[in-house]
Amino acid sequence: MKFARQLNKYSMYDKQRLPVNHILNGKNYKYCIEKVLGQGSFGIIYLAKIKSENPGNLQTDVKVVIKEFFMINVSQRFGNNVLTETDTSSYINYRKNFKHGAYNLSKLNHSHIVKILDFFENNNTLYYSMEYIGDETLNDYIQAQGSLSEKDALESICQIIDALSYIHANKILHLDLKPHNIMRRENGDLVLIDFGLSKRFNSEDEPEFNVHIGAGTIGYAPLEQSNFEKRICFSPTLDIYALGGILYKMLTGATPPDSLSILNDGFPKDSMIEHGISHDVISITKWAMEPIKRNRPQSVVELLNVIKRILPYVSNIKQNISSNTNTLLRNELTVDIYEVCNNFHVHWSNNVTELQKKIVIC
């Protein structure tokens, strides 16, 4: 079935969305739609309240986020039902991805990962409900601040790594890490959301469902993901590249160049130097975003260990100073600097013996 597409963009969106106060019947709860939070190419996100089953059917104050599977280019709403051109292979693949993303998310329980409450089918499409974290994404926060200090950026990355370490231990790759897919609680804690492209793997490191892999987001997806042709295997380096992209965004306020540009033109080190970023933090970011995957950290724990090593010495003030001044300031704060693997530096305290230094370096 082919749909007419002559409607005004905004009126079309209004007709695509469930109306305010619509009651949506889930598997575990009933929901009352409050408003639309956003709409993308493959789904609509609503803010809703859980509707109580108490006498009088009073509405509770518990807010949730509901994601509805709705492909703009092939779907249309008639009444409340979603009708779709189901003969398209892309629709079938993305519907599976939506379902598998909800399934993967439902198996996870971590403080830095959004909690799924319900997964159900209604109105001829798929839904899942999640805890309501707030309205601010990490991207919103970066835009409001312009950029983050080295300390704030690295501490934020440590939170994301904590979540990734958990999902990687459960043989899941996120595959769409970016500031837009990370929510920020009022206390500053970060929470991963949107597991629509995620993949779960078995003990043989093979995907449990289909072998299709989404291209991810330009600037955050490594070259091997955006140009994927062969069968995917479990590879944490895909998510690690995105971590580097997120770190770059936090430190500079700019979206990182696409992976092909970095391969051809090199890592944009000059941009980070212009923002007064220290050599060590530039090195960490560059290491995570190496175009060749074997040159990246091979696990998030490997990356975390290096971050923890330099975290006590980074600045908690946003700097916009020249690289020469930055180098002078850093040298005044440290006793000795020893070159180690991957061009990182260790900043030794006065009470560290030469023997201890040799053990670490070796």
Side-chain angles (χ1 to χ4, degrees), residues 68-211:
E68 176 185 51
F69 178 65
F70 189 100
M71 290 184 67
I72 289 178
N73 292 331
V74 298
S75 299
Q76 189 63 276
R77 197 182 301 277
F78 289 86
N80 293 323
N81 289 328
V82 176
L83 298 184
T84 310
E85 301 168 8
T86 55
D87 58 336
T88 62
S89 60
S90 63
Y91 166 80
I92 295 171
N93 284 331
Y94 282 110
R95 183 183 171 96
K96 286 181 179 179
N97 283 341
F98 186 94
K99 185 175 182 179
H100 295 153
Y103 173 80
N104 288 341
L105 193 52
S106 70
K107 300 297 181 182
L108 303 177
N109 184 18
H110 191 279
S111 60
H112 293 297
I113 297 174
V114 66
K115 292 177 176 61
I116 190 168
L117 306 173
D118 207 356
F119 176 74
F120 55 98
E121 186 168 353
N122 204 328
N123 298 332
N124 200 40
T125 191
L126 302 175
Y127 298 87
Y128 62 87
S129 65
M130 303 166 282
E131 63 171 323
Y132 174 66
I133 297 167
D135 297 329
E136 187 178 46
T137 67
L138 176 59
N139 193 70
D140 295 332
Y141 181 68
I142 295 169
Q143 287 185 333
Q145 300 295 319
S147 63
L148 308 186
S149 71
E150 293 182 357
K151 183 178 176 63
D152 286 345
L154 290 183
E155 287 180 344
S156 296
I157 282 292
C158 286
Q159 291 188 38
I160 303 169
I161 287 177
D162 192 26
L164 282 182
S165 179
Y166 172 78
I167 70 169
H168 289 175
N170 283 275
K171 292 290 186 179
I172 295 174
L173 297 178
H174 189 282
L175 299 175
D176 198 20
L177 290 171
K178 56 185 176 182
H180 291 84
N181 284 344
I182 300 169
M183 300 301 297
R184 192 172 184 272
R185 298 188 190 275
E186 288 186 1
N187 66 359
D189 285 350
L190 301 180
V191 182
L192 295 189
I193 64 169
D194 201 340
F195 280 64
L197 295 186
S198 65
K199 288 285 178 290
R200 181 185 286 271
F201 296 78
N202 60 26
S203 58
E204 304 299 321
D205 286 348
E206 297 173 339
E208 288 187 349
F209 298 111
N210 57 60
V211 298

Side-chain angles (χ1 to χ4, degrees), residues 249-263:
K249 172 83 174 190
M250 287 192 290
L251 292 165
T252 67
T255 301
D258 65 88
S259 53
L260 185 59
S261 296
I262 292 179
L263 176 66

Side-chain angles (χ1 to χ4, degrees), residues 227-288:
N227 291 279
F228 174 76
E229 294 179 357
K230 298 180 180 179
R231 183 174 62 86
I232 184 176
C233 62
F234 183 72
S235 179
T237 54
L238 290 162
D239 285 341
I240 289 170
Y241 184 95
L243 279 176
I246 294 170
L247 187 55
Y248 180 91
K249 172 83 174 190
M250 287 192 290
L251 292 165
T252 67
T255 301
D258 65 88
S259 53
L260 185 59
S261 296
I262 292 179
L263 176 66
N264 291 327
D265 303 327
F267 180 77
K269 181 178 178 180
D270 290 347
S271 176
M272 300 190 77
I273 291 174
E274 290 172 2
H275 282 80
I277 308 304
S278 66
H279 176 83
D280 290 343
V281 176
I282 292 175
S283 295
I284 286 176
T285 311
K286 181 177 183 294
W287 186 29

Side-chain angles (χ1 to χ4, degrees), residues 331-349:
N331 285 341
E332 289 175 1
L333 294 173
T334 59
V335 179
D336 288 307
I337 299 179
Y338 282 79
E339 194 89 14
V340 293
C341 298
N342 297 302
N343 201 32
F344 293 108
H345 296 83
V346 177
H347 302 269
W348 303 112
S349 300

Side-chain angles (χ1 to χ4, degrees), residues 307-339:
I307 290 174
K308 285 183 174 179
R309 192 183 301 164
I310 71 166
L311 191 52
Y313 304 98
V314 299
S315 174
N316 63 355
I317 301 173
K318 288 189 293 184
Q319 300 182 50
N320 287 291
I321 54 179
S322 70
S323 58
N324 290 334
T325 306
N326 190 48
T327 301
L328 289 172
L329 287 174
R330 294 302 297 273
N331 285 341
E332 289 175 1
L333 294 173
T334 59
V335 179
D336 288 307
I337 299 179
Y338 282 79
E339 194 89 14

